[in-house]
Amino acid sequence: MAHKKGVGSSKNGRESASQRLGIKIFGGQTVTAGNIIVRQRGNKHFPGSGVAQGKDDTLYALIDGTVNFHKGKFSKSVVSVIPFAEA
């Protein structure tokens, strides 16, 4: 006979929901001001012109335009938004 109550299912309740990180709007696509472009932890991509970084490292558009991914200083990935007038 068992001397402890079987509690297998309650020991397995530690899985957390995924954080849904990654690129939300890819290069060449259009954005409006406030749209989230990249959700990330740390700086995998850096903000360029027309892009700002939130306190959770999320990159979002400040202006309407077209998203552009390019290499910046030290070959780091930079995300910019090119306004519609220039595109």
Side-chain angles (χ1 to χ4, degrees):
M1 262 184 73
H3 294 286
K4 293 197 175 201
K5 186 178 178 184
V7 287
S9 62
S10 67
K11 286 184 177 180
N12 295 331
R14 286 182 292 279
E15 290 89 21
S16 60
S18 63
Q19 296 181 327
R20 278 88 175 179
L21 302 178
I23 298 173
K24 305 301 179 185
I25 300 174
F26 291 90
Q29 292 183 299
T30 59
V31 291
T32 56
N35 281 34
I36 292 175
I37 302 170
V38 180
R39 299 221 335 118
Q40 61 186 354
R41 293 293 170 262
N43 281 110
K44 184 174 170 71
H45 306 281
F46 288 82
S49 62
V51 177
Q53 182 171 338
K55 68 176 186 175
D56 63 346
D57 299 320
T58 296
L59 300 183
Y60 60 94
L62 293 174
I63 57 174
D64 299 347
T66 306
V67 176
N68 181 28
F69 285 82
H70 55 94
K71 295 290 184 185
K73 196 172 185 181
F74 305 114
S75 295
K76 293 186 181 288
S77 176
V78 177
V79 184
S80 300
V81 174
I82 302 168
F84 287 126
E86 293 179 20

Coordinates of all heavy atoms in Angstrom, one line a residue:
M1 N 0.8 -1.2 0.0 CA 0.0 0.0 0.0 C 0.9 1.3 0.0 O 1.9 1.3 0.6 CB -0.9 0.0 1.2 CG -2.3 -0.5 0.9 SD -3.5 -0.4 2.2 CE -3.8 1.3 2.4
A2 N 0.4 2.3 -0.7 CA 1.1 3.5 -0.7 C 0.9 4.3 0.6 O -0.1 4.3 1.2 CB 0.6 4.4 -1.9
H3 N 2.0 4.9 1.0 CA 2.0 5.7 2.2 C 1.9 7.2 2.0 O 1.8 8.0 2.9 CB 3.2 5.4 3.1 CG 3.2 4.0 3.6 ND1 2.4 3.6 4.6 CD2 3.9 2.9 3.2 CE1 2.6 2.3 4.8 NE2 3.5 1.8 4.0
K4 N 1.9 7.6 0.7 CA 1.7 9.0 0.3 C 0.7 9.1 -0.7 O 0.5 8.2 -1.6 CB 3.1 9.6 -0.2 CG 4.1 9.7 0.8 CD 5.2 10.6 0.4 CE 6.2 10.7 1.5 NZ 7.0 11.9 1.4
K5 N 0.0 10.2 -0.7 CA -1.1 10.4 -1.7 C -0.5 10.7 -3.0 O 0.5 11.5 -3.1 CB -2.0 11.6 -1.2 CG -3.2 11.8 -2.1 CD -4.0 12.9 -1.5 CE -5.2 13.2 -2.4 NZ -6.0 14.3 -2.0
G6 N -0.9 10.1 -4.1 CA -0.4 10.4 -5.4 C -0.7 11.8 -5.9 O -1.9 12.2 -6.0
V7 N 0.3 12.6 -6.1 CA 0.1 14.0 -6.5 C 0.9 14.4 -7.8 O 1.5 15.4 -7.9 CB 0.4 15.0 -5.4 CG1 -0.6 15.0 -4.3 CG2 1.8 14.8 -4.8
G8 N 0.9 13.5 -8.7 CA 1.7 13.7 -9.9 C 1.3 14.9 -10.7 O 2.1 15.6 -11.2
S9 N 0.0 15.1 -10.8 CA -0.5 16.2 -11.7 C -0.2 17.6 -11.1 O 0.1 18.5 -11.8 CB -2.0 16.0 -12.0 OG -2.7 16.1 -10.8
S10 N -0.3 17.7 -9.8 CA 0.0 19.0 -9.2 C 1.4 19.4 -9.2 O 1.8 20.5 -9.0 CB -0.6 19.1 -7.8 OG 0.1 18.2 -7.0
K11 N 2.3 18.4 -9.4 CA 3.7 18.7 -9.4 C 4.2 19.2 -10.8 O 5.3 19.7 -11.0 CB 4.6 17.4 -9.1 CG 4.6 17.0 -7.6 CD 5.5 15.9 -7.4 CE 5.5 15.5 -6.0 NZ 6.4 14.3 -5.7
N12 N 3.3 19.1 -11.8 CA 3.7 19.4 -13.1 C 3.2 20.8 -13.6 O 3.3 21.2 -14.7 CB 3.1 18.4 -14.1 CG 3.7 17.0 -13.9 OD1 4.8 16.9 -13.5 ND2 2.9 16.0 -14.2
G13 N 2.7 21.6 -12.6 CA 2.1 22.9 -13.0 C 3.0 24.1 -13.1 O 2.7 25.2 -12.7
R14 N 4.2 23.9 -13.7 CA 5.2 25.0 -13.7 C 5.4 25.6 -15.1 O 6.2 26.5 -15.2 CB 6.5 24.5 -13.2 CG 6.5 24.3 -11.7 CD 7.9 23.8 -11.2 NE 8.2 22.5 -11.6 CZ 7.8 21.4 -11.1 NH1 7.0 21.4 -10.0 NH2 8.2 20.2 -11.5
E15 N 4.7 25.1 -16.1 CA 4.9 25.6 -17.4 C 4.3 27.0 -17.6 O 3.1 27.2 -17.2 CB 4.4 24.7 -18.5 CG 5.1 23.4 -18.7 CD 4.5 22.3 -17.7 OE1 3.4 22.4 -17.3 OE2 5.3 21.3 -17.4
S16 N 5.1 27.9 -18.0 CA 4.6 29.3 -18.2 C 4.2 29.5 -19.7 O 4.8 28.8 -20.6 CB 5.6 30.3 -17.8 OG 6.8 30.2 -18.5
A17 N 3.4 30.5 -19.9 CA 3.0 30.8 -21.3 C 4.2 31.4 -22.0 O 5.0 32.1 -21.5 CB 1.8 31.8 -21.3
S18 N 4.3 31.1 -23.3 CA 5.4 31.7 -24.1 C 5.2 33.2 -24.2 O 4.1 33.7 -24.1 CB 5.4 31.1 -25.5 OG 4.2 31.4 -26.2
Q19 N 6.3 33.9 -24.4 CA 6.3 35.4 -24.4 C 6.0 36.0 -25.8 O 5.9 37.2 -25.9 CB 7.6 35.9 -23.9 CG 7.8 35.5 -22.4 CD 9.1 36.0 -21.9 OE1 10.1 36.1 -22.6 NE2 9.1 36.3 -20.6
R20 N 5.9 35.2 -26.8 CA 5.6 35.7 -28.2 C 6.6 36.8 -28.6 O 6.2 37.9 -29.1 CB 4.2 36.2 -28.3 CG 3.1 35.1 -28.5 CD 2.7 34.6 -27.2 NE 1.6 33.6 -27.3 CZ 1.0 33.0 -26.3 NH1 1.4 33.2 -25.1 NH2 0.0 32.2 -26.5
L21 N 7.9 36.5 -28.5 CA 8.9 37.4 -28.9 C 9.2 37.3 -30.4 O 8.8 36.3 -31.0 CB 10.2 37.2 -28.1 CG 10.1 37.3 -26.6 CD1 11.4 37.0 -25.9 CD2 9.6 38.7 -26.2
G22 N 9.9 38.2 -31.0 CA 10.3 38.1 -32.3 C 9.9 39.3 -33.2 O 9.4 40.3 -32.7
I23 N 10.2 39.2 -34.5 CA 9.9 40.3 -35.4 C 8.4 40.3 -35.7 O 7.9 39.2 -36.2 CB 10.8 40.2 -36.6 CG1 12.2 40.4 -36.3 CG2 10.4 41.3 -37.7 CD1 13.2 40.2 -37.4
K24 N 7.7 41.3 -35.5 CA 6.3 41.4 -35.8 C 6.0 42.0 -37.2 O 5.0 41.7 -37.8 CB 5.5 42.2 -34.7 CG 5.8 41.7 -33.3 CD 5.3 40.2 -33.2 CE 5.6 39.7 -31.8 NZ 5.3 38.3 -31.6
I25 N 6.8 43.0 -37.6 CA 6.6 43.6 -38.9 C 8.0 43.5 -39.6 O 9.0 44.0 -39.1 CB 6.1 45.0 -38.8 CG1 4.8 45.1 -38.1 CG2 6.0 45.7 -40.2 CD1 4.2 46.4 -37.8
F26 N 8.0 42.9 -40.8 CA 9.3 42.7 -41.4 C 9.7 43.8 -42.3 O 8.9 44.7 -42.6 CB 9.2 41.4 -42.3 CG 9.1 40.1 -41.4 CD1 7.9 39.6 -41.0 CD2 10.3 39.5 -41.0 CE1 7.9 38.5 -40.2 CE2 10.3 38.4 -40.2 CZ 9.0 37.9 -39.8
G27 N 11.0 43.8 -42.8 CA 11.5 44.9 -43.7 C 10.7 45.0 -45.0 O 10.3 44.0 -45.6
G28 N 10.4 46.2 -45.4 CA 9.6 46.5 -46.6 C 8.1 46.6 -46.3 O 7.4 47.1 -47.2
Q29 N 7.6 46.2 -45.1 CA 6.2 46.4 -44.8 C 6.0 47.8 -44.2 O 6.9 48.4 -43.7 CB 5.8 45.3 -43.8 CG 5.8 43.9 -44.4 CD 5.3 42.9 -43.3 OE1 5.8 42.8 -42.3 NE2 4.2 42.3 -43.7
T30 N 4.8 48.2 -44.4 CA 4.4 49.6 -43.9 C 3.9 49.5 -42.5 O 3.4 48.5 -42.0 CB 3.3 50.2 -44.8 OG1 2.2 49.4 -44.7 CG2 3.8 50.4 -46.2
V31 N 4.2 50.6 -41.7 CA 3.8 50.7 -40.3 C 3.1 52.1 -40.1 O 3.4 53.0 -40.9 CB 4.9 50.6 -39.3 CG1 5.5 49.2 -39.3 CG2 6.1 51.5 -39.6
T32 N 2.3 52.2 -39.1 CA 1.8 53.4 -38.6 C 2.4 53.7 -37.3 O 3.0 52.8 -36.6 CB 0.3 53.4 -38.5 OG1 -0.1 52.3 -37.6 CG2 -0.4 53.2 -39.8
A33 N 2.4 55.0 -36.9 CA 3.1 55.3 -35.6 C 2.5 54.5 -34.5 O 1.3 54.4 -34.3 CB 2.9 56.8 -35.4
G34 N 3.3 54.0 -33.6 CA 2.9 53.2 -32.5 C 2.9 51.7 -32.7 O 2.8 50.9 -31.8
N35 N 3.0 51.2 -34.0 CA 3.1 49.8 -34.2 C 4.3 49.2 -33.7 O 5.4 49.7 -33.8 CB 3.0 49.5 -35.7 CG 1.6 49.7 -36.3 OD1 0.8 50.5 -35.9 ND2 1.3 48.8 -37.3
I36 N 4.2 48.0 -33.1 CA 5.3 47.2 -32.6 C 6.0 46.5 -33.7 O 5.3 45.9 -34.5 CB 4.8 46.2 -31.5 CG1 4.4 46.9 -30.3 CG2 6.0 45.2 -31.2 CD1 3.8 46.0 -29.2
I37 N 7.3 46.7 -33.8 CA 8.1 46.1 -34.9 C 8.8 44.9 -34.4 O 8.7 43.8 -35.1 CB 9.1 47.1 -35.5 CG1 8.4 48.4 -36.0 CG2 9.9 46.5 -36.6 CD1 9.3 49.5 -36.3
V38 N 9.5 44.9 -33.3 CA 10.2 43.8 -32.7 C 9.9 43.7 -31.2 O 10.0 44.7 -30.5 CB 11.7 43.9 -33.0 CG1 12.4 42.7 -32.4 CG2 12.0 44.1 -34.4
R39 N 9.6 42.5 -30.8 CA 9.5 42.2 -29.3 C 10.7 41.4 -29.0 O 10.9 40.3 -29.6 CB 8.2 41.5 -28.9 CG 7.0 42.3 -29.3 CD 5.9 42.4 -28.3 NE 5.7 41.2 -27.4 CZ 5.8 41.3 -26.1 NH1 6.0 42.5 -25.5 NH2 5.6 40.3 -25.3
Q40 N 11.5 41.8 -28.0 CA 12.8 41.2 -27.7 C 13.2 41.3 -26.3 O 12.6 42.1 -25.6 CB 13.9 41.8 -28.6 CG 14.1 43.3 -28.4 CD 15.1 43.9 -29.4 OE1 15.7 43.2 -30.2 NE2 15.3 45.2 -29.3
R41 N 14.1 40.5 -25.9 CA 14.8 40.6 -24.5 C 16.2 41.0 -24.8 O 17.0 40.2 -25.4 CB 14.7 39.3 -23.8 CG 13.3 38.9 -23.4 CD 12.7 39.9 -22.4 NE 11.2 39.6 -22.2 CZ 10.3 40.3 -22.8 NH1 10.6 41.3 -23.6 NH2 9.0 40.1 -22.6
G42 N 16.6 42.2 -24.3 CA 18.0 42.7 -24.6 C 18.0 43.3 -26.0 O 16.9 43.4 -26.7
N43 N 19.1 43.7 -26.5 CA 19.2 44.4 -27.8 C 19.7 43.5 -28.8 O 20.9 43.5 -29.2 CB 20.1 45.6 -27.6 CG 19.4 46.8 -27.0 OD1 19.7 47.2 -25.9 ND2 18.4 47.3 -27.7
K44 N 18.9 42.7 -29.4 CA 19.2 41.9 -30.6 C 19.2 42.9 -31.8 O 20.0 42.8 -32.7 CB 18.3 40.7 -30.8 CG 18.6 39.8 -32.0 CD 17.7 38.6 -32.0 CE 17.8 37.8 -33.2 NZ 19.0 37.1 -33.3
H45 N 18.2 43.8 -31.8 CA 18.0 44.8 -32.8 C 18.0 46.1 -32.1 O 17.5 46.3 -31.0 CB 16.7 44.6 -33.6 CG 16.6 43.3 -34.2 ND1 17.2 42.9 -35.4 CD2 15.9 42.2 -33.8 CE1 16.9 41.6 -35.7 NE2 16.1 41.2 -34.7
F46 N 18.7 47.1 -32.7 CA 18.8 48.5 -32.1 C 17.8 49.4 -32.8 O 17.6 49.3 -34.0 CB 20.2 48.9 -32.2 CG 21.1 48.2 -31.2 CD1 21.6 47.0 -31.5 CD2 21.4 48.8 -30.0 CE1 22.5 46.3 -30.6 CE2 22.2 48.1 -29.1 CZ 22.7 46.9 -29.4
P47 N 17.3 50.5 -32.1 CA 16.4 51.4 -32.8 C 17.2 52.4 -33.6 O 18.3 52.9 -33.2 CB 15.8 52.2 -31.6 CG 16.7 52.0 -30.5 CD 17.4 50.7 -30.7
G48 N 16.7 52.7 -34.8 CA 17.3 53.7 -35.7 C 16.4 54.9 -35.8 O 15.6 55.2 -34.9
S49 N 16.4 55.6 -37.0 CA 15.5 56.8 -37.1 C 14.1 56.4 -37.3 O 13.8 55.4 -38.0 CB 16.0 57.6 -38.4 OG 15.8 56.8 -39.5
G50 N 13.2 57.1 -36.6 CA 11.8 56.8 -36.6 C 11.4 55.6 -35.8 O 10.2 55.2 -35.8
V51 N 12.3 55.1 -34.9 CA 12.0 53.9 -34.1 C 12.5 54.3 -32.7 O 13.5 54.9 -32.5 CB 12.7 52.7 -34.6 CG1 12.5 51.5 -33.7 CG2 12.2 52.3 -36.0
A52 N 11.7 53.8 -31.7 CA 12.0 54.0 -30.3 C 12.0 52.7 -29.6 O 11.4 51.7 -30.1 CB 11.1 55.0 -29.6
Q53 N 12.6 52.6 -28.4 CA 12.7 51.4 -27.6 C 12.0 51.5 -26.3 O 12.2 52.5 -25.5 CB 14.2 51.0 -27.4 CG 14.4 49.7 -26.6 CD 15.8 49.3 -26.6 OE1 16.6 49.7 -27.4 NE2 16.2 48.5 -25.7
G54 N 11.1 50.6 -26.0 CA 10.3 50.6 -24.7 C 11.2 50.1 -23.6 O 12.3 49.5 -23.8
K55 N 10.6 50.1 -22.4 CA 11.4 49.7 -21.2 C 11.6 48.1 -21.2 O 12.5 47.6 -20.5 CB 10.7 50.1 -19.9 CG 9.4 49.5 -19.6 CD 8.9 50.0 -18.3 CE 7.6 49.2 -17.9 NZ 7.2 49.6 -16.6
D56 N 10.8 47.4 -21.9 CA 10.9 46.0 -22.1 C 11.7 45.6 -23.3 O 11.6 44.5 -23.8 CB 9.6 45.2 -22.0 CG 8.7 45.6 -23.2 OD1 9.0 46.6 -23.9 OD2 7.7 44.9 -23.4
D57 N 12.4 46.6 -23.9 CA 13.3 46.4 -25.1 C 12.5 46.3 -26.4 O 13.1 45.9 -27.4 CB 14.3 45.2 -25.0 CG 15.2 45.4 -23.8 OD1 15.7 46.6 -23.6 OD2 15.5 44.5 -23.1
T58 N 11.2 46.5 -26.4 CA 10.4 46.4 -27.6 C 10.7 47.6 -28.5 O 10.7 48.7 -28.0 CB 8.9 46.4 -27.2 OG1 8.6 45.2 -26.4 CG2 8.0 46.4 -28.4
L59 N 10.8 47.4 -29.8 CA 11.0 48.4 -30.7 C 9.7 48.8 -31.4 O 9.0 47.9 -31.8 CB 12.0 48.0 -31.8 CG 13.4 47.7 -31.3 CD1 14.3 47.4 -32.5 CD2 14.0 48.8 -30.5
Y60 N 9.3 50.1 -31.4 CA 8.1 50.5 -32.0 C 8.3 51.7 -32.9 O 9.2 52.5 -32.7 CB 7.0 50.7 -31.0 CG 7.4 51.8 -30.0 CD1 7.0 53.1 -30.1 CD2 8.1 51.5 -28.8 CE1 7.3 54.1 -29.2 CE2 8.4 52.5 -27.9 CZ 8.0 53.8 -28.1 OH 8.4 54.8 -27.2
A61 N 7.4 51.9 -33.8 CA 7.5 53.0 -34.8 C 7.0 54.3 -34.2 O 6.0 54.4 -33.5 CB 6.7 52.7 -36.0
L62 N 7.7 55.4 -34.5 CA 7.4 56.7 -34.1 C 6.6 57.5 -35.2 O 5.9 58.4 -34.9 CB 8.6 57.5 -33.6 CG 9.3 57.0 -32.4 CD1 10.6 57.9 -32.2 CD2 8.4 57.2 -31.2
I63 N 6.8 57.1 -36.4 CA 6.2 57.7 -37.6 C 5.7 56.7 -38.5 O 6.0 55.5 -38.4 CB 7.3 58.6 -38.3 CG1 8.5 57.7 -38.7 CG2 7.8 59.8 -37.5 CD1 9.5 58.4 -39.6
D64 N 4.8 57.1 -39.4 CA 4.3 56.3 -40.5 C 5.4 56.1 -41.6 O 6.1 57.1 -41.9 CB 3.0 56.9 -41.1 CG 1.9 57.1 -40.1 OD1 2.0 56.5 -39.0 OD2 0.9 57.7 -40.4
G65 N 5.5 54.9 -42.1 CA 6.4 54.7 -43.2 C 6.7 53.2 -43.4 O 5.8 52.4 -43.1
T66 N 7.9 52.9 -44.0 CA 8.3 51.6 -44.4 C 9.4 51.1 -43.5 O 10.4 51.9 -43.2 CB 8.7 51.6 -45.8 OG1 7.7 52.1 -46.6 CG2 9.0 50.1 -46.3
V67 N 9.3 49.9 -43.0 CA 10.3 49.4 -42.1 C 11.6 49.0 -42.9 O 11.5 48.4 -44.0 CB 9.8 48.1 -41.3 CG1 10.9 47.5 -40.5 CG2 8.6 48.5 -40.5
N68 N 12.8 49.3 -42.3 CA 14.0 49.0 -43.0 C 15.0 48.4 -41.9 O 15.3 49.0 -40.9 CB 14.6 50.2 -43.6 CG 15.9 50.0 -44.3 OD1 16.2 48.9 -44.8 ND2 16.8 50.9 -44.3
F69 N 15.4 47.1 -42.2 CA 16.5 46.5 -41.3 C 17.8 46.7 -42.0 O 17.9 46.4 -43.2 CB 16.2 45.0 -41.2 CG 15.0 44.7 -40.2 CD1 13.7 44.8 -40.6 CD2 15.3 44.4 -38.9 CE1 12.7 44.5 -39.8 CE2 14.3 44.1 -38.0 CZ 13.0 44.2 -38.5
H70 N 18.8 47.2 -41.3 CA 20.1 47.3 -41.9 C 21.2 47.2 -40.8 O 20.9 47.1 -39.7 CB 20.3 48.7 -42.6 CG 19.9 49.9 -41.7 ND1 20.9 50.5 -41.0 CD2 18.8 50.5 -41.4 CE1 20.3 51.5 -40.3 NE2 19.0 51.5 -40.5
K71 N 22.5 47.1 -41.3 CA 23.6 46.9 -40.4 C 24.1 48.3 -40.0 O 24.3 49.2 -40.9 CB 24.7 46.1 -41.0 CG 24.3 44.7 -41.2 CD 24.1 43.9 -40.0 CE 23.8 42.4 -40.3 NZ 23.5 41.7 -39.0
G72 N 24.3 48.5 -38.7 CA 24.8 49.8 -38.2 C 26.3 49.7 -37.8 O 27.0 48.8 -38.3
K73 N 26.7 50.4 -36.8 CA 28.0 50.4 -36.4 C 28.4 49.1 -35.7 O 27.5 48.5 -35.1 CB 28.2 51.5 -35.3 CG 29.6 51.9 -35.0 CD 29.6 53.2 -34.1 CE 31.0 53.6 -33.8 NZ 31.0 54.8 -32.9
F74 N 29.5 48.6 -36.0 CA 30.0 47.3 -35.5 C 29.1 46.1 -36.0 O 29.0 45.1 -35.3 CB 30.1 47.2 -34.0 CG 31.0 48.3 -33.4 CD1 30.4 49.3 -32.6 CD2 32.3 48.4 -33.7 CE1 31.2 50.4 -32.1 CE2 33.1 49.4 -33.2 CZ 32.5 50.4 -32.4
S75 N 28.5 46.3 -37.2 CA 27.7 45.3 -37.8 C 26.5 44.9 -37.0 O 26.0 43.7 -37.0 CB 28.5 44.0 -38.2 OG 29.4 44.4 -39.2
K76 N 26.0 45.8 -36.2 CA 24.8 45.5 -35.4 C 23.5 45.8 -36.2 O 23.5 46.6 -37.0 CB 24.8 46.4 -34.1 CG 25.9 46.0 -33.1 CD 25.8 46.8 -31.9 CE 26.9 46.4 -30.9 NZ 26.8 45.1 -30.3
S77 N 22.5 45.0 -35.9 CA 21.2 45.1 -36.6 C 20.5 46.3 -36.1 O 20.3 46.5 -34.9 CB 20.4 43.9 -36.4 OG 19.1 44.0 -37.0
V78 N 20.1 47.2 -37.1 CA 19.4 48.5 -36.7 C 18.1 48.5 -37.5 O 18.0 48.1 -38.7 CB 20.2 49.7 -37.1 CG1 19.5 51.0 -36.8 CG2 21.6 49.7 -36.4
V79 N 17.0 48.9 -36.8 CA 15.7 49.0 -37.4 C 15.3 50.5 -37.6 O 15.4 51.2 -36.6 CB 14.6 48.3 -36.6 CG1 13.3 48.3 -37.3 CG2 15.1 46.8 -36.3
S80 N 15.0 50.9 -38.8 CA 14.5 52.3 -39.0 C 13.2 52.2 -39.7 O 12.8 51.2 -40.3 CB 15.6 53.0 -39.9 OG 16.8 53.0 -39.3
V81 N 12.5 53.4 -39.7 CA 11.3 53.6 -40.4 C 11.5 54.7 -41.4 O 11.9 55.8 -41.0 CB 10.1 53.9 -39.5 CG1 8.9 54.2 -40.3 CG2 9.8 52.7 -38.6
I82 N 11.4 54.5 -42.7 CA 11.6 55.5 -43.7 C 10.2 56.1 -44.0 O 9.3 55.4 -44.3 CB 12.1 54.8 -45.0 CG1 13.5 54.1 -44.7 CG2 12.3 55.9 -46.1 CD1 14.0 53.2 -45.8
P83 N 10.1 57.4 -43.9 CA 8.8 58.1 -44.1 C 8.3 57.9 -45.5 O 9.1 57.7 -46.5 CB 9.1 59.5 -43.8 CG 10.3 59.6 -43.0 CD 11.1 58.4 -43.4
F84 N 7.0 57.9 -45.7 CA 6.4 57.7 -47.1 C 6.9 58.7 -48.1 O 7.0 58.4 -49.2 CB 4.9 57.7 -47.0 CG 4.3 56.5 -46.3 CD1 3.5 56.6 -45.2 CD2 4.6 55.2 -46.8 CE1 2.9 55.5 -44.6 CE2 4.1 54.1 -46.1 CZ 3.2 54.3 -45.1
A85 N 7.2 59.9 -47.7 CA 7.6 61.0 -48.6 C 8.9 60.6 -49.3 O 9.2 60.9 -50.4 CB 7.7 62.3 -47.9
E86 N 9.8 59.9 -48.5 CA 11.2 59.6 -49.1 C 11.1 58.3 -49.8 O 11.9 58.0 -50.7 CB 12.2 59.4 -47.9 CG 12.5 60.8 -47.2 CD 13.4 60.6 -46.1 OE1 14.2 59.6 -46.1 OE2 13.5 61.4 -45.2
A87 N 10.2 57.4 -49.5 CA 10.2 56.1 -50.1 C 9.8 56.1 -51.5 O 9.2 56.9 -52.1 CB 9.2 55.1 -49.3

